[in-house]
Amino acid sequence: MLFYLAFATPILLATAWLYTAHITRVSFPKFRNKRICLLIAHPDDEAMFFSPALLALTDGRLGNHVKILCLSTGNADNLGQTRKQELLSSAVILGLRSPDDVFVLDSPLFPDSMTSFWDPTEVAKVLSSAFASSGSSQNPQKVIASKPNSSNEPPLATIDILLTFDSGGVSNHPNHISLYRGARVWLTTLMANKLGWECPVELYTLSTTNIVRKYISFLDAPVTMLLGALQAARENKSRRSKSGKIPQRILVVSDLAQWRKGQNAMTRGHQSQMRWFRWGWIGVGRYMVVNDLKRENIT
């Protein structure tokens, strides 16, 4: 009996994972025909934390145009230029149309540090420069302050969706948390004195989980789907805006092929970073398989 149980359990768990991946792919809300920017702090964040979302969002059938904006080269070990090139390779593996859709800053304002928080206002200035309006520079290297908004003109942006870390930063990394704070500052500034207008950019953040769920890989997929369903019930279904239904959560679960592609983005794309603990991460980290994206309300 124990033999059969030991034999059947892995099969049942794998089946639950792949079934969850199928259900989320065919039945859950998704973005279509959107201009999407993934905002990250370091090269390899896109693969270690957001690979399921990138692989889903870059599906050609959805018509999305995805870009990556990285605010540092990850130069803590003097490998900044190497890591920048590695990010370009990883992005293509994860489905971006071209390396030209990846922008990497190298600024003393954003040091790669486990102890330093970045100024949210400076993060917001970069976002304003890159995406705020057709009149602003589209080159993120030119950091300019936002111009005052006029209440009788609609807020403008060159992206529809901004995706980044949440307030917990997944690993409580101060650089990750700074992106969340800066994104909120930018969108709040963009909507200043804009009563009656809707924000042109929806902010979605990657949900931070507890340490147990963080390291149970695909086993967290059914758990996340169940918790998401319960959360939706508590919220009495999704809220609506004047432009239509806006999903409050987006759940993405990679199947086996996508999981392997996410791993390849690390092992082939970020070879300089493949130390022993990152091998463990790509093997058992749930963010290599599951991305739970939550819409942030900007007021």
Side-chain angles (χ1 to χ4, degrees):
M1 180 65 182
L2 291 177
F3 170 79
Y4 290 112
L5 182 61
F7 178 77
T9 298
I11 297 176
L12 291 175
L13 293 175
T15 301
W17 162 34
L18 296 177
Y19 178 73
T20 304
H22 172 73
I23 289 297
T24 56
R25 183 168 58 251
V26 302
S27 301
F28 277 46
K30 52 181 64 70
F31 300 131
R32 295 182 182 274
N33 302 313
K34 299 295 185 182
R35 301 167 297 176
I36 302 170
C37 176
L38 171 62
L39 176 64
I40 58 176
H42 321 100
D44 76 15
D45 286 349
E46 83 296 340
M48 291 181 62
F49 304 109
F50 293 95
S51 59
L54 285 176
L55 288 167
L57 294 172
T58 56
D59 185 333
R61 293 168 294 185
L62 299 180
N64 298 315
H65 189 179
V66 181
K67 298 184 178 184
I68 295 176
L69 174 56
C70 183
L71 294 200
S72 83
T73 61
N75 198 39
D77 297 323
N78 296 316
L79 293 172
Q81 289 306 309
T82 297
R83 297 192 67 186
K84 179 178 178 179
Q85 293 304 313
E86 289 178 339
L87 172 55
L88 302 182
S89 299
S90 171
V92 172
I93 293 173
L94 293 174
L96 267 69
R97 297 179 182 179
S98 164
D100 293 337
D101 286 328
V102 180
F103 305 91
V104 185
L105 297 189
D106 186 5
S107 169
L109 294 172
F110 308 117
D112 177 10
S113 171
M114 289 290 294
T115 59
S116 298
F117 285 92
W118 297 340
D119 185 344
T121 302
E122 296 299 332
V123 175
K125 287 180 181 179
V126 172
L127 294 170
S128 177
S129 172
F131 308 121
S133 70
S134 58
S136 299
S137 169
Q138 299 306 303
N139 184 351
Q141 295 284 1
K142 294 183 178 181
V143 181
I144 60 173
S146 302
K147 297 179 180 180
N149 287 323
S150 171
S151 59
N152 60 355
E153 296 179 355
L156 301 175
T158 58
I159 57 173
D160 305 305
I161 306 289
L162 181 62
L163 175 60
T164 192
F165 296 95
D166 70 359
S167 59
V170 173
S171 58
N172 208 35
H173 196 302
N175 296 167
H176 297 174
I177 296 171
S178 299
L179 300 182
Y180 169 78
R181 295 174 178 174
R184 291 195 65 93
V185 169
W186 172 50
L187 294 178
T188 300
T189 302
L190 186 66
M191 294 306 297
N193 302 318
K194 294 294 184 179
L195 296 177
W197 296 101
E198 290 187 1
C199 185
V201 180
E202 296 291 348
L203 175 61
Y204 282 83
T205 57
L206 183 63
S207 298
T208 298
T209 65
N210 60 53
I211 192 168
V212 174
R213 292 180 59 197
K214 190 183 296 185
Y215 292 105
I216 60 173
S217 189
F218 64 84
L219 298 178
D220 192 61
V223 175
T224 302
M225 187 168 69
L226 176 60
L227 293 176
L230 294 174
Q231 181 67 26
R234 285 197 296 267
E235 293 175 353
N236 194 24
K237 299 183 180 181
S238 297
R239 298 168 187 157
R240 293 176 179 268
S241 70
K242 294 179 181 178
S243 59
K245 188 175 182 179
I246 300 176
Q248 297 300 300
R249 289 183 180 273
I250 298 289
L251 176 60
V252 180
V253 179
S254 290
D255 59 23
L256 180 59
Q258 292 169 322
W259 179 47
R260 289 293 298 132
K261 185 172 286 189
Q263 290 178 323
N264 287 337
M266 276 300 298
T267 59
R268 298 201 326 228
H270 293 284
Q271 294 184 23
S272 72
Q273 300 303 298
M274 289 311 299
R275 301 166 188 169
W276 68 268
F277 55 89
R278 289 198 174 92
W279 283 102
W281 177 267
I282 68 172
V284 300
R286 61 91 74 175
Y287 290 97
M288 297 297 298
V289 183
V290 182
N291 278 174
D292 178 20
L293 310 176
K294 179 184 176 182
R295 178 177 176 264
E296 299 286 338
N297 293 315
I298 304 298
T299 57

